Amino acid sequence: MANESSMSEAELNNRIRMLEDNIRQLIEQAAAASGEQNEARIADRLSQQNEELERLTRERDARAKNEPPKK
């Protein structure tokens, strides 16, 4: 993903909404998944999506406070 600090506020908010939707869909897939490989793949993807969501949310919150994001 692009560097969060170079995103506009609208781009940042849009990406956050997309990540939240992706996470919701992955949770639904996990509930319906069968097989260890499918479950592991979904769990890995969920972890990646959650990490990106946390990063972007910190960036958005930092911008709201006019502070640089904490890394």
Side-chain angles (χ1 to χ4, degrees):
M1 188 65 222
N3 184 354
E4 294 88 19
S5 62
S6 66
M7 298 172 119
S8 70
E9 185 175 346
E11 291 171 325
L12 189 61
N13 285 327
N14 187 49
R15 183 64 186 151
I16 288 171
R17 282 190 296 275
M18 288 173 47
L19 286 164
E20 290 170 339
D21 187 52
N22 288 349
I23 291 168
R24 180 190 55 75
Q25 290 178 28
L26 286 166
I27 290 170
E28 290 173 2
Q29 289 175 17
S34 63
E36 191 173 319
Q37 286 183 337
N38 284 338
E39 292 171 3
R41 183 180 50 80
I42 291 170
D44 288 344
R45 187 71 177 133
L46 262 171
S47 178
Q48 292 170 351
Q49 296 285 293
N50 277 312
E51 288 171 8
E52 185 174 357
L53 178 60
E54 289 174 17
R55 252 191 348 270
L56 294 177
T57 301
R58 281 194 307 270
E59 173 71 26
R60 182 180 62 188
D61 293 347
R63 287 182 185 189
K65 295 177 183 178
N66 281 333
E67 297 176 1
K70 295 177 182 163
K71 300 204 179 205

